[in-house]
Amino acid sequence: MKKTFYITTPIYYPSGKFHIGSAYTTCLCDSIRRYKDLEGYETRFLTGTDEHGQKIEESALANNKSPKEHVDYMASLAKDLWKELKITNDDFIRTTEKRHVDVVQEVFEKLLASDDIYLGEYTGNYCVSCESYFTPTQLVDGDKCPDCGSVTKVLKEETYFLRLSKYSDRLLDFIDKNPEFIVPESKKNEVVSFIKSGLLDLSVSRTAFSWGIKVKSNPKHVIYVWIDALTNYITALGYGSDNEDLYQKFWTGGDEVIHVVGKDILRFHAIYWPIMLMALDIPINFRLFAHGWYLMKDGKMSKSKGNVIYPEQLVERYGLDAFRYYIVREIQYGNDGVFTPEDYIGRVNTDLVNDYGNLVSRSISMVNKYFGGTVTLKEHNHEYKVFEEDLRNVAKETFLEYKKNMDEFKVPNAIQNISALVRRTNKLIDDTFPWNLAKDEALKDVLESVMYHLLESIRIITVLYRPFLIETPAKVFEFLGVEENFQGFKNIEFGSKKSYSVVKKPSHLFPRLDLEKESVEIKKLMNVGKPIVEEPKFEAILPEIEFEDFTKLDIRVGKIIECKKHNDAKKLLVSKIDTGDKIRNIVSGIAEFYEPEDLIGKLVQVVVNLKPMKLRGELSEGMVLCGENSKKELFVVEASDELSPGDKIS
Ligand code: MSP
C-alpha cells in the first residue's frame, strides 16, 4: 500500500487581493506535493480561505458589501488565482461552509463538556487587526500590538477560555519527544521558550462583533477565529461528519501530515492547535514547517508604499514557469527573502535561459547536426570517458542530495542541486569539444557517447525539475522523445534510457530577458504610488426576488449633520444623520473618497431598519446607500432637494 502524505497551506484571509507572499506558501506546498507524488506517495493537498472575524467584516463594509458577498467574491478570486498558477489542491475549504461550521460548533461544545473551555471575564489590550489580546509585557510602547504595531484597545468582555495552562507540560514533553515536530530548529526553539515563559488561558469567544461561528449553547458569543480556522485541517477531511474516510486515511491512519505556515502564525499552530487536539483526544500526528517572508527592499509589501507585486502580473509577462521557479527558489530555508526586479530577471536569465534552456537547445542542435537526430548509448575507451563517468557520478549524487533536501523541505537547496548538475552537464561540452570530435570519423562513437550523455543528463535534470517547472518538462520530454516511464523517479538512474530520437526544431523554452529594460517594467508593475484597481467587471445581476422582499427595506431620506473620520479605522467615516425619527450615528466605508466636510449638509438615502452593529467600537444605526463605479470608487446616492429628512424612498 502507498504511504500517505497530507499537506496544507494556511487558510488565507480573503481581505484583499493576494500578492506574491501568499502565492509563495501555496507554490511551495504545491511543489512539495508534486515531489511526493513522484516519490510514489498517495497525496492530498488542501488550501482555502479563513472567512470570519472582525477584520473581514470591516473590509466587507469598506467595499460596501455584506460579509458573505465579500467573502464569496474574494474566495472566487483566490480560486481563480490558484487555477492560473496551476496549483493542484484537491480541496478548497471555506470556513463559512456548512461542512466546517457544524463541526466547529460541535468541537466547541465538546471542549465545554470536558471543561477544557470555561466561561469567564476578560479585560485586556485587544488588537483588532490581529484579533488577539496582549498582556502588558507583550505590548510595545505601552499600548501597541507587538505583531502589527497597531494601537490596541482596552476591552472588557465575558468570554470563554481554553485551558492552555493545563496542557503546557504535556506539550513541552511532546515537542521534546518529537524533535522534528517543528522545523527549522530555530523556530522550534522560539516556540519552546514561549511555552516555558508561561501560557495564559486563551480567550476563545467574542461578543463585540457577530461575523463568526456562533457558540451553539450561548449564541451571543462567536467562536474565536483561530479556533474556527485551525479546525479546517480536519473538517476538510470530513472529521465529525457522516463520512470520515479521508480523515481516517490521511489523519488518524495516515503516514505524514505537514502544515506549512509563515513564521508569523507559527505560535497558533505550534501551541493552540496541538492543545486543541489533546483536549479532543485526537492524535497530533502533524509536523510544522515554518517559512520566512518575502519582503521588499523597504520592508513589508503594502499598497500605500507602492511596492506590491501580484503573481498574475509576473506570470503574464514572463510565463508561469519563470514565476513558479523564482518564487520557491529565492527564499532560503528558514529565512526571509527580498524581492527585487533585478534579482527576478537575473535568476530567470541565469538558471533557466542561460543554463538549462541553452543546454537543451544546443544539445538537440548538435544531435541533429552530427547524427541526424538519433543517438544510442555507445561504449568507448577514449580519454573523454573520465568526463562522462564524472557526470554520471554527479547525477547520482545530485539525486540523493536533492531527495534529502526535499524530504527536509529545503526546496531552494534541492533546486541548487539541480542547477549544479545543469552546469556540470554544460561543462561536458567544454571538456570534450564536440565540434573537434566531429572532424575525425574515427571518433564518431566517442562523439555519439558524449551526445548521449548530454541527453540522458537533460532527461534526469528535467525529471528533477518537475516539482517546480510546470509546463516546461512536458515540452523537453517531447523534444527528446522521452516515454512516460522515463519521466519519473523509477528510472532516474543514468543509463536507464538507452537511445534518443530528438525533434528537428525545438521551440524556444525561455526567452532571454533584458535586465535593465525588464527591471524597469517590473518597477512599473509594482503599483508605484497608487493602488492597483481590480479589473472592472460587470457584476452579475442577483437572482429575482419577490416584491415583499423589497418592502422589508425601510429607506429614508437623511441629512448629514456632522461627519468625522473614525478614530482608528482609516477607511471609515462616522456621521450623525437626521432621518426624521431621530439623529443616527452611522459608519460608512467611504473615507478614501470623501473628506468629512464634503458630506455635511448632503441629503442622502439611508437604510434605517438594518440591525445596528458596532464597527471598530462605533455603533452604526443604518447604512448610507452608495454607488460604485468601475474603478471601485464609491459615491453617496443623493436625494432630491425637494425631499426632507424622514421621507420614505421606495
Ligand atoms: N488566516 C490566517 C491563517 C489561518 S491557518 C489555520 C492567516 N492568513 S493570512 O492571509 O494573513 O496569511 C496566510 C499565510 O500567508 C501566512 O502563512 C503568512 O505567513 C503568509 N504570508 C503573508 N504575507 C507573506 C509574505 N510577504 N511572504 C511570505 N508569506 C506571507 O494568517
Side-chain angles (χ1 to χ4, degrees), residues 69-81:
E69 270 172 350
H70 176 66
V71 295
D72 282 351
Y73 174 63
M74 296 308 295
S76 77
L77 288 188
K79 285 182 181 172
D80 289 349
L81 175 63

Side-chain angles (χ1 to χ4, degrees), residues 430-441:
D430 304 336
D431 289 338
T432 57
F433 308 106
W435 43 94
N436 285 342
L437 292 173
K439 289 179 193 151
D440 187 347
E441 191 58 27

Side-chain angles (χ1 to χ4, degrees), residues 435-554:
W435 43 94
N436 285 342
L437 292 173
K439 289 179 193 151
D440 187 347
E441 191 58 27
L443 295 177
K444 198 144 195 224
D445 278 1
V446 181
L447 179 61
E448 187 167 354
S449 176
V450 169
M451 293 298 114
Y452 167 83
H453 276 77
L454 291 177
L455 298 187
E456 182 67 343
S457 195
I458 292 173
R459 178 183 71 87
I460 292 167
I461 288 162
T462 307
V463 173
L464 300 184
Y465 268 146
R466 277 184 57 189
F468 320 110
L469 299 178
I470 311 306
E471 292 167 341
T472 309
K475 291 188 204 161
V476 175
F477 291 141
E478 199 193 318
F479 297 168
L480 265 52
V482 176
E483 304 82 350
E484 213 175 314
N485 60 328
F486 293 111
Q487 296 179 7
F489 288 172
K490 190 166 63 106
N491 284 313
I492 193 85
E493 216 171 292
F494 214 107
S496 304
K497 180 167 161 61
K498 309 278 187 248
S499 67
Y500 283 91
S501 283
V502 301
V503 295
K504 290 258 159 313
K505 277 213 165 309
S507 56
H508 230 62
L509 289 180
F510 303 100
R512 179 176 308 282
L513 305 174
D514 179 324
L515 180 66
E516 240 169 73
K517 179 170 163 265
E518 292 306 325
S519 301
V520 171
E521 287 302 323
I522 297 182
K523 279 179 198 145
K524 276 195 218 153
L525 296 176
M526 277 162 65
N527 181 17
V528 185
K530 58 176 173 23
I532 289 218
V533 181
E534 278 157 20
E535 284 272 287
K537 267 193 203 159
F538 180 75
E539 282 215 26
I541 305 287
L542 295 175
E544 213 171 76
I545 55 167
E546 297 298 328
F547 182 67
E548 288 138 45
D549 293 328
F550 174 69
T551 58
K552 286 186 196 154
L553 283 176
D554 194 339

Side-chain angles (χ1 to χ4, degrees), residues 10-13 19 21 50 226 229 233 262 264-265 291 293-294 301:
I11 46 173
Y12 300 96
Y13 290 127
H19 54 52
D50 186 358
W226 275 97
Y233 299 129
D264 53 317
I265 58 170
H291 63 69
W293 269 43
Y294 261 107
M301 267 177 267

Side-chain angles (χ1 to χ4, degrees), residues 54 58 128-129 153 566 568-569 572 614-618:
Q54 197 166 4
E58 285 175 3
V128 174
S129 177
K153 278 200 277 193
H566 192 292
D568 66 357
L572 303 182
K614 272 199 165 176
L615 295 160
R616 288 259 178 129
E618 275 286 348

Side-chain angles (χ1 to χ4, degrees), residues 100-330:
H100 178 77
V101 172
D102 289 354
V103 178
V104 170
Q105 286 188 319
E106 288 314 315
V107 161
F108 200 93
E109 293 302 314
K110 230 178 183 170
L111 294 172
L112 262 177
S114 62
D115 195 37
D116 286 296
I117 285 181
Y118 61 92
L119 191 59
E121 193 174 73
Y122 193 87
T123 311
N125 286 72
Y126 183 73
C127 172
V128 174
S129 177
C130 298
E131 320 234 7
S132 290
Y133 279 104
F134 293 96
T135 59
T137 52
Q138 290 169 326
L139 295 169
V140 178
D141 297 340
D143 64 350
K144 295 208 180 72
C145 168
D147 287 344
C148 74
S150 310
V151 176
T152 56
K153 278 200 277 193
V154 178
L155 289 188
K156 182 173 177 182
E157 57 180 338
E158 176 190 275
T159 180
Y160 287 96
F161 286 93
L162 175 66
R163 292 188 200 279
L164 292 188
S165 45
K166 171 174 159 192
Y167 290 96
S168 56
D169 288 344
R170 244 175 93 182
L171 182 58
L172 282 172
D173 188 49
F174 176 83
I175 297 176
D176 191 46
K177 294 207 171 93
N178 295 275
E180 303 270 87
F181 173 53
I182 302 167
V183 291
E185 176 134 16
S186 57
K187 297 281 188 293
K188 174 179 96 176
N189 299 338
E190 285 169 23
V191 169
V192 169
S193 42
F194 188 86
I195 304 172
K196 284 189 175 157
S197 74
L199 294 181
L200 298 175
D201 287 351
L202 175 72
S203 154
V204 290
S205 73
R206 301 282 181 266
T207 49
F209 62 94
S210 60
W211 180 241
I213 301 180
K214 292 197 170 13
V215 173
K216 215 170 172 182
S217 53
N218 188 357
K220 80 172 191 237
H221 287 257
V222 297
I223 297 172
Y224 174 50
V225 74
W226 275 97
I227 298 287
D228 164 359
L230 289 162
T231 317
N232 93 87
Y233 299 129
I234 53 176
T235 55
L237 293 176
Y239 166 77
S241 75
D242 295 344
N243 182 352
E244 291 198 329
D245 290 356
L246 287 172
Y247 171 67
Q248 275 150 14
K249 179 173 203 169
F250 288 98
W251 195 277
T252 46
D255 296 295
E256 292 175 34
V257 179
I258 181 93
H259 298 318
V260 179
V261 296
K263 58 180 185 177
D264 53 317
I265 58 170
L266 175 62
R267 210 190 304 151
F268 302 95
H269 285 80
I271 300 176
Y272 305 165
W273 183 221
I275 287 181
M276 279 173 69
L277 293 177
M278 282 181 202
L280 290 165
D281 220 6
I282 292 176
I284 311 169
N285 53 4
F286 68 88
R287 293 177 54 205
L288 290 168
F289 166 36
H291 63 69
W293 269 43
Y294 261 107
L295 301 173
M296 306 311 256
K297 267 191 182 150
D298 50 353
K300 279 192 180 179
M301 267 177 267
S302 89
K303 281 192 188 179
S304 53
K305 283 192 202 162
N307 65 0
V308 184
I309 184 94
Y310 295 100
E312 299 94 324
Q313 299 173 314
L314 293 171
V315 171
E316 193 183 318
R317 193 162 178 93
Y318 307 108
L320 179 65
D321 280 7
F323 173 76
R324 295 252 341 215
Y325 181 82
Y326 171 88
I327 202 80
V328 297
R329 166 67 182 81
E330 213 57 24

